[in-house]
């Protein structure tokens, strides 16, 4: 009888012990699985630097119209060639870059959709950091007139400004993380992840003045176009998560 009794209850005892052991490990595993997200807070820091715009972009333009498409195209080419002959000798990489812009030709139609003539447009773009040189050159190009003026930052100036703003953003991120950790009663924090990016969204756009194309401009008018750069703000954001401990 004794042997049979032991053989009957031994499996039951094993099951009970195993079940108890399994139950005892569940809270530890749950805590272990959730621990990476415990005491984690997301935050961001910002840095902003205001700098003077140092690059000028000037668009010169001319329009022509007539009854013959080939003739209109030919006059546009002549105007562009004349402008390039004046501009090319003044070109200097980075300081004054010269390139052609839009060149278009399209029909003019009457109320019934019939073609009554042709109109075309040609552009020349002057861009660089030598603002005085670009302004002076624009006054010596007589086959085209200024249609757009825009200021921006040169690549070198933007990199320098972003580097300064980045330092401010990281310092702001660390200061916020330390303040938050101490406010919750923690002594320190560990950075879990962080991303740093330049944020130009919502910033004032470079100054852009729309100029009326003056078809009556005197051919001997070599007066430089008066221009004045402004300031722009470069922002950098450092965002991520820290674990307080």
């Amino acid at each position: 009888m004794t042997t049979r009794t032991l053989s009957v209850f031994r499996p039951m005892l094993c099951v009970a012990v195993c079940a108890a052991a399994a139950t005892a490990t569940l809270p530890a595993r749950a805590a272990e699985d959730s621990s990476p997200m415990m005491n984690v807070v997301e935050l961001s820091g910002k840095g902003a630097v205001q700098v003077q715009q140092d690059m000028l972009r000037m668009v010169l333009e001319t329009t022509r119209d007539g009854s013959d498409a080939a003739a209109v195209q030919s006059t546009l080419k002549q105007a562009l060639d004349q402008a390039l002959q004046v501009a090319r000798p003044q070109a200097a990489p980075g300081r004054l870059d010269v390139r052609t812009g839009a060149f278009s030709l399209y029909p003019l139609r009457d109320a019934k959709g019939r073609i009554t003539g042709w109109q075309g447009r040609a552009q020349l773009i002057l861009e660089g950091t030598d603002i005085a040189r670009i302004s002076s050159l624009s006054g010596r190009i007589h086959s085209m007139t200024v249609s757009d003026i825009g200021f921006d930052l040169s690549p070198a100036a933007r990199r320098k400004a972003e580097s300064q703003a980045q330092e401010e953003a990281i310092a702001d991120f660390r200061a916020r993380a330390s303040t938050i950790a101490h406010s919750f009663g923690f002594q320190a924090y560990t950075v879990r992840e962080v991303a740093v990016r330049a944020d130009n969204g919502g910033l004032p756009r470079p100054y852009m003045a729309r100029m009326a194309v003056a078809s009556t401009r005197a051919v001997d008018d070599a007066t430089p176009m008066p221009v004045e750069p402004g300031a722009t703000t470069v922002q950098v954001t450092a965002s991520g998560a820290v674990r307080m401990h």
Side-chain angles (χ1 to χ4, degrees):
M1 291 294 293
T2 302
T3 303
R4 290 181 182 176
T5 302
L6 289 176
S7 63
V8 171
F9 285 98
R10 184 174 298 161
M12 294 178 63
L13 179 61
C14 179
V15 170
V17 171
C18 291
T23 304
T25 59
L26 284 178
R29 278 185 189 159
E32 185 179 345
D33 291 341
S34 63
S35 61
M37 296 303 297
M38 290 180 61
N39 306 327
V40 172
V41 61
E42 296 181 353
L43 68 149
S44 63
K46 292 186 179 295
V49 176
Q50 190 175 58
V51 290
Q52 186 79 5
Q53 295 166 327
D54 67 336
M55 187 171 69
L56 172 63
R57 180 177 181 271
M58 187 174 291
V59 180
L60 284 76
E61 180 176 304
T62 187
T63 58
R64 297 288 191 275
D65 57 69
S67 58
D68 182 70
V72 173
Q73 180 173 283
S74 177
T75 57
L76 286 173
K77 287 182 177 180
Q78 291 176 7
L80 185 58
D81 286 339
Q82 291 173 11
L84 286 171
Q85 288 175 10
V86 178
R88 279 172 177 158
Q90 300 298 318
R95 295 176 57 198
L96 198 168
D97 294 316
V98 178
R99 59 187 174 88
T100 56
F103 191 103
S104 59
L105 185 67
Y106 50 90
L108 301 174
R109 301 179 184 272
D110 60 16
K112 296 183 178 180
R114 294 173 298 191
I115 296 177
T116 59
W118 295 84
Q119 188 174 75
R121 179 183 63 157
Q123 290 182 338
L124 181 69
I125 299 174
L126 310 177
E127 186 175 44
T129 57
D130 195 335
I131 296 175
R133 191 171 189 173
I134 295 173
S135 176
S136 176
L137 176 59
S138 70
R140 300 202 302 271
I141 296 176
H142 305 305
S143 60
M144 292 183 165
T145 52
V146 176
S147 62
D148 284 293
I149 299 175
F151 284 96
D152 202 349
L153 292 179
S154 64
R158 183 170 294 279
R159 284 193 300 269
K160 182 178 179 181
E162 286 182 354
S163 179
Q164 295 174 353
Q166 177 178 290
E167 291 181 5
E168 291 186 7
I170 294 174
D172 187 39
F173 180 92
R174 296 178 62 181
R176 288 172 180 265
S178 180
T179 299
I180 292 173
H182 284 88
S183 296
F184 279 106
F186 294 92
Q187 298 300 315
Y189 68 88
T190 302
V191 176
R192 296 185 73 247
E193 58 184 26
V194 64
V196 180
R197 65 181 178 85
D199 183 10
N200 294 321
L203 295 180
R205 295 180 63 84
Y207 169 73
M208 182 67 75
R210 183 70 184 177
M211 311 296 293
V213 177
S215 59
T216 58
R217 178 180 177 181
V219 295
D220 59 347
D221 180 11
T223 304
M225 176 63 64
V227 293
E228 185 65 31
T232 189
T233 301
V234 176
Q235 289 186 354
V236 173
T237 301
S239 56
V242 299
R243 183 175 183 181
M244 303 173 293
H245 54 84

